[in-house]
Amino acid sequence: MTRYASILETIGDTPLVRLARLAPPDVNLHVKVEAFNPMGSVKDRMALAVIEAAEHSGALRRGQTVIEATSGNTGIGLAMVCASKGYPLVVTMAESFSLERRRLLRFLGARVVLTPAAEKGSGMLAKAIELAEKHGYFLCRQFENEANAEVHSRTTAQEILDDFAGEPIHAWVSGFGTGGTLKGVSRVLKAADPCTRIVVAEPDNAPLLGSGEAQPAAASHPRFRPHLMQGWSPDFISPLTQQALAAGMVDEIVPVAGEEALRLARELARKEGIFVGISAGATLAAALQVARRAPPGSHIVCMLPDTGERYQSTPLFEGIEDEMNEEELALSRSTPGFRFDLPAPRPAAVAAPRAIQPADTAWDVEAERCLEKCLAQAPVVMISLAWCEFCWAARKLLDRLGVDYLSVDLDSPDYQAGDMGVRLRPVLARRCGAPTIPQIFIGGKPVGGCSELFAAWQDGSLGHCLAECGVVFDSGAEIDTELLLPAWLHPRSTTA
Ligand code: PMP
């Protein structure tokens, strides 16, 4: 199928990719790249399955709020599914998970309720239960919901079997979080071929399974310790994981060190061009151990649960610089142009900005009148471009000051007729003595662009102008104008 009725139809059917460089050459180590799901993780499958199962059973009513405790990927998948189907979503999440995850959830329209890191996974789950009971929300219960395992049996496992078309699979390697992947995939692979080894990886410092110690009722597992593999081993062995163990599905448990997980996630990116998260690096660490012992020619499948995009504020990206390093600076200096240590070249062939071309400076009465009309409409007028970051920065200052202003966006459809958006620019340049955008006017007088506006706020003159024109604003506002500028303009010292 090449056309889809909704984004939800694009979930699953992820590619199985043979590792060409990281695996021993005589073994076929295949990775299942779950980052291909629409929101970039294996949890998209579960999110859709849990919501649809609840719709079918009647547990979820039209328009009812959905809630779940999640380290992020489940929430992000649920946010997509809920957005597409029209359910409000609340996510509870420990404060220790990466910032990108919170921001992504909120971008998708979900509300995020943080819980203290010290209360671990159990804390966020307890909070979700409290909120669900108090407000009548539908709680997904991903750690015990059979729909979570069922979708992996029906899709993930079936895709793997289809991809091998009857060829034997020596081993399937996965970590566990909810255990949905583990329970759902293992039972189908085992039924298809009892010789397929089910290998489960877990953090070496949190051997919940490896220790053989049972999960105590309503408490953290005694062997749990905080670890680097977000999405793996919560502080308890979930019901779905316990069921997979009890059914005798697990043949081997492999402990993985955090550093090894980070190293292999980076290696996957640099040596195979496969961009994935920390738990994927960790699963590969275990799969490589299996591969080293496997008979030549065997097929091994390794789950890669999510994309690396989500880990930019975590140790995975440590040492990845924002600024040029010495080698990059030397490369920059190896040719004369476009450097930070020399002024930019201005070759004659580069046309001057459109606003000051001679042909444009001819008197354009209509454009003059148009500008006058705009300036007369409000005491504070900003002539701007919708896409310009400096215009956004100037807007932020005016918004924080609570100033009511008129924004005249020259690139908006309103100024397309008669090419007025373009014709206004030379008129504006003449009036302001500068060809740049934005230009801010107070009481019809030009204040300047973004920098001049910021300087006028700092030296108090902006306040005077606004007061003189009777414009209401928050005179006591404390604003660091530098922070309103685009991030790439923030002083270098803050990123060094
Ligand atoms: N890795 C990541 C990054 C995850 O978000 C999850 C889900 N929590 C897993 C692995 C484990 O998957 P499952 O919940 O199906 O055991």
Side-chain angles (χ1 to χ4, degrees):
M1 193 168 26
T2 52
R3 291 195 289 179
Y4 301 95
S6 97
I7 193 70
L8 305 180
E9 291 180 359
T10 71
I11 296 171
D13 269 328
T14 54
L16 200 55
V17 180
R18 186 176 186 276
L19 292 189
R21 300 180 63 196
L22 287 182
D26 57 346
V27 170
N28 300 304
L29 176 49
H30 300 272
V31 291
K32 188 147 175 74
V33 192
E34 292 295 307
F36 273 73
N37 283 301
M39 287 313 302
S41 94
V42 67
K43 307 305 292 203
D44 291 357
R45 297 176 187 265
M46 186 230 62
L48 179 61
V50 164
I51 295 297
E52 292 198 331
E55 284 174 338
H56 287 139
S57 73
L60 176 60
R61 296 182 312 276
R62 239 184 126 86
Q64 188 181 358
T65 296
V66 174
I67 187 166
E68 185 59 330
T70 148
S71 63
N73 282 333
T74 294
I76 291 164
L78 278 171
M80 165 203 34
V81 174
C82 289
S84 172
K85 284 178 169 279
Y87 297 103
L89 174 69
V90 175
V91 163
T92 60
M93 185 194 289
E95 60 183 336
S96 43
F97 292 113
S98 74
L99 297 182
E100 295 92 313
R101 295 183 181 216
R102 297 181 203 172
R103 289 164 57 92
L104 259 170
L105 283 164
R106 291 183 169 130
F107 193 89
L108 284 158
R111 281 163 289 165
V112 180
V113 175
L114 297 175
T115 55
E119 305 294 338
K120 298 173 276 197
S122 325
M124 54 201 233
L125 185 55
K127 185 71 182 175
I129 293 170
E130 268 181 29
L131 288 169
E133 282 172 359
K134 165 108 200 228
H135 301 289
Y137 296 162
F138 168 72
L139 179 63
C140 297
R141 297 185 187 275
Q142 58 167 336
F143 292 98
E144 60 202 68
N145 195 327
E146 177 57 26
N148 176 8
E150 188 276 332
V151 72
H152 287 292
S153 296
R154 179 165 41 87
T155 68
T156 320
Q158 205 51 53
E159 290 163 24
I160 294 170
L161 290 177
D162 290 349
D163 287 340
F164 285 103
E167 279 187 77
I169 301 168
H170 173 75
W172 175 77
V173 188
S174 174
F176 68 95
T178 62
T181 314
L182 173 61
K183 181 180 175 191
V185 174
S186 62
R187 63 186 169 192
V188 173
L189 296 189
K190 277 278 189 214
D193 179 358
C195 295
T196 299
R197 287 179 70 72
I198 304 297
V199 180
V200 178
E202 67 178 354
D204 65 351
N205 64 334
L208 273 58
L209 304 192
S211 65
E213 287 176 40
Q215 171 62 41
S220 285
H221 192 281
R223 303 304 296 269
F224 176 80
R225 297 290 176 277
H227 58 80
L228 283 174
M229 291 77 136
Q230 291 191 23
W232 263 21
S233 312
D235 63 316
F236 53 91
I237 306 175
S238 73
L240 293 176
T241 307
Q242 291 187 36
Q243 289 153 14
L245 290 168
M249 292 296 159
V250 178
D251 296 298
E252 187 179 345
I253 296 158
V254 178
V256 176
E259 279 308 316
E260 196 57 2
L262 298 178
R263 185 181 74 77
L264 283 166
R266 293 176 189 136
E267 292 274 283
L268 270 170
R270 289 173 191 189
K271 300 229 168 95
E272 303 275 355
I274 299 175
F275 183 41
V276 291
I278 303 172
S279 73
T283 318
L284 179 63
L288 285 173
Q289 289 191 30
V290 176
R292 282 184 211 110
R293 301 183 245 117
S298 8
H299 292 300
I300 296 167
V301 178
C302 167
M303 296 299 295
L304 301 183
D306 73 350
T307 170
E309 199 89 51
R310 217 144 276 178
Y311 297 89
Q312 296 195 36
S313 65
T314 75
L316 185 59
F317 272 70
E318 201 167 288
I320 304 293
E321 296 293 336
D322 293 330
E323 298 299 327
M324 284 195 279
N325 61 25
E326 275 313 312
E327 190 192 350
E328 291 160 338
L329 279 168
L331 202 51
S332 168
R333 288 191 289 262
S334 68
T335 65
F338 310 100
R339 291 161 53 167
F340 292 98
D341 54 344
L342 293 176
R346 292 265 170 253
V350 175
R354 176 127 178 81
I356 53 169
Q357 280 177 31
D360 286 335
T361 54
W363 201 251
D364 182 339
V365 180
E366 209 187 342
E368 289 283 346
R369 279 209 198 107
C370 178
L371 181 61
E372 285 310 329
K373 227 172 103 189
C374 293
L375 298 183
Q377 276 178 49
V380 183
V381 177
M382 177 158 84
I383 313 287
S384 57
L385 293 167
W387 55 263
C388 158
E389 286 181 292
F390 292 97
C391 299
W392 299 346
R395 271 193 197 108
K396 280 189 210 162
L397 177 59
L398 294 175
D399 288 341
R400 301 242 171 128
L401 292 175
V403 171
D404 199 12
Y405 66 97
L406 173 72
S407 177
V408 175
D409 293 343
L410 297 183
D411 52 351
S412 71
D414 292 350
Y415 293 91
Q416 273 170 12
D419 216 10
M420 192 50 81
V422 174
R423 284 161 59 197
L424 274 169
R425 295 203 51 171
V427 172
L428 189 69
R430 245 195 322 267
R431 175 76 68 100
C432 304
T436 53
I437 304 278
Q439 292 296 331
I440 294 98
F441 292 82
I442 299 178
K445 288 195 210 110
V447 174
C450 181
S451 311
E452 288 81 11
L453 182 75
F454 285 5
W457 169 249
Q458 272 147 9
D459 69 19
S461 57
L462 180 64
H464 285 299
C465 279
L466 290 170
E468 257 174 39
C469 294
V471 177
V472 182
F473 71 102
D474 177 4
S475 56
E478 279 182 27
I479 300 168
D480 183 350
T481 49
E482 223 150 55
L483 295 180
L484 304 180
L485 287 166
W488 54 270
L489 271 177
H490 291 173
R492 273 156 193 262
S493 56
T494 62
T495 53

Short mmCIF file of all heavy atoms in Angstrom, two decimals, residues 7-8 10-11 37-41 43-45 47-48 74-86 89 105 108:
data_model
loop_
_atom_site.label_atom_id
_atom_site.label_comp_id
_atom_site.label_asym_id
_atom_site.label_seq_id
_atom_site.Cartn_x
_atom_site.Cartn_y
_atom_site.Cartn_z
N ILE A 7 -2.00 8.31 9.71
CA ILE A 7 -0.62 7.99 10.09
C ILE A 7 -0.56 6.64 10.81
O ILE A 7 0.45 5.93 10.78
CB ILE A 7 -0.04 9.13 10.99
CG1 ILE A 7 1.48 9.00 11.13
CG2 ILE A 7 -0.68 9.17 12.36
CD1 ILE A 7 2.25 9.30 9.89
N LEU A 8 -1.67 6.25 11.43
CA LEU A 8 -1.69 5.02 12.21
C LEU A 8 -1.44 3.78 11.35
O LEU A 8 -0.92 2.78 11.82
CB LEU A 8 -3.03 4.89 12.96
CG LEU A 8 -3.38 6.10 13.84
CD1 LEU A 8 -4.72 5.90 14.53
CD2 LEU A 8 -2.28 6.35 14.86
N THR A 10 0.73 3.52 9.17
CA THR A 10 2.16 3.40 8.84
C THR A 10 2.95 2.73 9.97
O THR A 10 4.17 2.57 9.87
CB THR A 10 2.79 4.77 8.53
OG1 THR A 10 2.90 5.51 9.76
CG2 THR A 10 1.98 5.55 7.53
N ILE A 11 2.27 2.37 11.05
CA ILE A 11 2.96 1.73 12.19
C ILE A 11 3.33 0.29 11.82
O ILE A 11 2.53 -0.42 11.21
CB ILE A 11 2.06 1.76 13.44
CG1 ILE A 11 1.82 3.22 13.87
CG2 ILE A 11 2.68 0.96 14.58
CD1 ILE A 11 0.78 3.38 14.97
N ASN A 37 9.16 3.41 12.77
CA ASN A 37 7.78 3.71 13.12
C ASN A 37 7.56 5.23 13.11
O ASN A 37 8.51 5.98 13.29
CB ASN A 37 7.46 3.12 14.51
CG ASN A 37 7.24 1.63 14.43
OD1 ASN A 37 6.35 1.17 13.73
ND2 ASN A 37 8.09 0.87 15.12
N PRO A 38 6.31 5.68 12.93
CA PRO A 38 6.11 7.12 12.69
C PRO A 38 6.67 8.02 13.80
O PRO A 38 7.19 9.09 13.52
CB PRO A 38 4.60 7.29 12.54
CG PRO A 38 3.99 6.00 12.95
CD PRO A 38 5.04 4.96 12.79
N MET A 39 6.58 7.60 15.06
CA MET A 39 7.16 8.43 16.11
C MET A 39 8.51 7.89 16.57
O MET A 39 9.02 8.27 17.62
CB MET A 39 6.20 8.57 17.29
CG MET A 39 5.01 9.47 17.01
SD MET A 39 5.43 11.05 16.22
CE MET A 39 6.56 11.73 17.40
N GLY A 40 9.09 7.01 15.79
CA GLY A 40 10.48 6.64 16.01
C GLY A 40 10.74 5.59 17.07
O GLY A 40 11.88 5.44 17.50
N SER A 41 9.70 4.84 17.50
CA SER A 41 10.02 3.78 18.46
C SER A 41 9.05 2.60 18.35
O SER A 41 7.96 2.72 17.80
CB SER A 41 10.03 4.29 19.90
OG SER A 41 8.78 4.08 20.51
N LYS A 43 7.32 1.49 20.56
CA LYS A 43 6.12 1.67 21.36
C LYS A 43 4.93 2.18 20.57
O LYS A 43 3.81 2.15 21.07
CB LYS A 43 6.41 2.61 22.54
CG LYS A 43 7.58 2.21 23.39
CD LYS A 43 7.54 0.81 23.94
CE LYS A 43 6.48 0.62 24.97
NZ LYS A 43 6.78 -0.52 25.86
N ASP A 44 5.15 2.64 19.35
CA ASP A 44 4.02 3.06 18.52
C ASP A 44 3.06 1.89 18.32
O ASP A 44 1.84 2.05 18.27
CB ASP A 44 4.50 3.55 17.14
CG ASP A 44 5.27 4.85 17.22
OD1 ASP A 44 5.39 5.40 18.33
OD2 ASP A 44 5.77 5.31 16.18
N ARG A 45 3.65 0.70 18.20
CA ARG A 45 2.82 -0.51 17.99
C ARG A 45 1.88 -0.69 19.17
O ARG A 45 0.69 -0.93 19.01
CB ARG A 45 3.73 -1.75 17.88
CG ARG A 45 4.68 -1.75 16.71
CD ARG A 45 5.55 -3.01 16.84
NE ARG A 45 6.65 -3.05 15.86
CZ ARG A 45 6.59 -3.68 14.69
NH1 ARG A 45 5.49 -4.31 14.32
NH2 ARG A 45 7.64 -3.69 13.88
N ALA A 47 1.05 1.46 21.50
CA ALA A 47 0.13 2.59 21.73
C ALA A 47 -1.16 2.37 20.94
O ALA A 47 -2.27 2.47 21.48
CB ALA A 47 0.80 3.89 21.33
N LEU A 48 -1.01 2.03 19.68
CA LEU A 48 -2.20 1.82 18.84
C LEU A 48 -2.99 0.61 19.34
O LEU A 48 -4.23 0.66 19.45
CB LEU A 48 -1.77 1.61 17.37
CG LEU A 48 -2.92 1.35 16.40
CD1 LEU A 48 -3.88 2.53 16.37
CD2 LEU A 48 -2.39 1.06 14.99
N THR A 74 6.46 5.38 25.05
CA THR A 74 5.04 5.01 25.08
C THR A 74 4.19 6.26 25.00
O THR A 74 3.20 6.32 24.27
CB THR A 74 4.72 4.24 26.38
OG1 THR A 74 5.42 3.01 26.33
CG2 THR A 74 3.24 3.98 26.54
N GLY A 75 4.59 7.27 25.76
CA GLY A 75 3.83 8.52 25.75
C GLY A 75 3.83 9.17 24.38
O GLY A 75 2.80 9.67 23.92
N ILE A 76 4.99 9.14 23.73
CA ILE A 76 5.10 9.77 22.41
C ILE A 76 4.24 9.01 21.39
O ILE A 76 3.53 9.60 20.59
CB ILE A 76 6.59 9.86 21.99
CG1 ILE A 76 7.31 10.87 22.89
CG2 ILE A 76 6.73 10.27 20.52
CD1 ILE A 76 8.82 10.79 22.85
N GLY A 77 4.27 7.68 21.47
CA GLY A 77 3.40 6.87 20.61
C GLY A 77 1.94 7.14 20.91
O GLY A 77 1.12 7.35 20.01
N LEU A 78 1.60 7.16 22.22
CA LEU A 78 0.21 7.42 22.60
C LEU A 78 -0.22 8.81 22.15
O LEU A 78 -1.36 9.01 21.72
CB LEU A 78 0.05 7.32 24.12
CG LEU A 78 -0.11 5.92 24.70
CD1 LEU A 78 -0.02 5.97 26.23
CD2 LEU A 78 -1.44 5.30 24.28
N ALA A 79 0.71 9.77 22.25
CA ALA A 79 0.36 11.15 21.87
C ALA A 79 -0.01 11.19 20.38
O ALA A 79 -0.96 11.86 19.98
CB ALA A 79 1.51 12.09 22.17
N MET A 80 0.74 10.45 19.56
CA MET A 80 0.42 10.38 18.13
C MET A 80 -0.95 9.73 17.93
O MET A 80 -1.80 10.26 17.20
CB MET A 80 1.49 9.56 17.41
CG MET A 80 1.06 9.15 16.02
SD MET A 80 1.87 7.74 15.31
CE MET A 80 2.21 6.62 16.58
N VAL A 81 -1.15 8.58 18.60
CA VAL A 81 -2.41 7.85 18.39
C VAL A 81 -3.58 8.69 18.89
O VAL A 81 -4.61 8.82 18.21
CB VAL A 81 -2.36 6.47 19.12
CG1 VAL A 81 -3.70 5.77 19.05
CG2 VAL A 81 -1.26 5.60 18.50
N CYS A 82 -3.42 9.30 20.08
CA CYS A 82 -4.51 10.11 20.65
C CYS A 82 -4.78 11.34 19.78
O CYS A 82 -5.93 11.73 19.59
CB CYS A 82 -4.18 10.51 22.08
SG CYS A 82 -4.26 9.12 23.22
N ALA A 83 -3.71 11.96 19.25
CA ALA A 83 -3.91 13.13 18.39
C ALA A 83 -4.70 12.72 17.15
O ALA A 83 -5.66 13.37 16.75
CB ALA A 83 -2.56 13.73 18.00
N SER A 84 -4.30 11.58 16.58
CA SER A 84 -4.94 11.14 15.34
C SER A 84 -6.40 10.73 15.57
O SER A 84 -7.25 10.93 14.73
CB SER A 84 -4.13 9.97 14.77
OG SER A 84 -4.78 9.40 13.69
N LYS A 85 -6.67 10.17 16.77
CA LYS A 85 -8.03 9.68 17.04
C LYS A 85 -8.87 10.66 17.84
O LYS A 85 -10.06 10.41 18.08
CB LYS A 85 -7.95 8.35 17.80
CG LYS A 85 -7.57 7.16 16.93
CD LYS A 85 -7.46 5.91 17.79
CE LYS A 85 -7.34 4.64 16.97
NZ LYS A 85 -8.63 4.15 16.47
N GLY A 86 -8.23 11.74 18.35
CA GLY A 86 -9.00 12.76 19.05
C GLY A 86 -9.24 12.53 20.53
O GLY A 86 -10.24 12.98 21.08
N LEU A 89 -4.64 13.47 26.17
CA LEU A 89 -3.68 12.56 26.81
C LEU A 89 -2.92 13.25 27.94
O LEU A 89 -2.50 14.39 27.80
CB LEU A 89 -2.66 12.06 25.77
CG LEU A 89 -1.51 11.21 26.31
CD1 LEU A 89 -2.00 9.84 26.80
CD2 LEU A 89 -0.43 11.01 25.25
N LEU A 105 6.35 15.38 23.74
CA LEU A 105 4.99 15.06 24.18
C LEU A 105 4.11 16.29 24.14
O LEU A 105 2.99 16.27 23.66
CB LEU A 105 5.03 14.52 25.61
CG LEU A 105 5.49 13.09 25.73
CD1 LEU A 105 5.87 12.76 27.16
CD2 LEU A 105 4.39 12.16 25.25
N LEU A 108 3.13 17.38 20.76
CA LEU A 108 2.05 16.56 20.19
C LEU A 108 0.72 16.79 20.90
O LEU A 108 -0.26 16.09 20.63
CB LEU A 108 2.43 15.09 20.27
CG LEU A 108 3.46 14.65 19.24
CD1 LEU A 108 4.17 13.39 19.70
CD2 LEU A 108 2.80 14.41 17.88
#
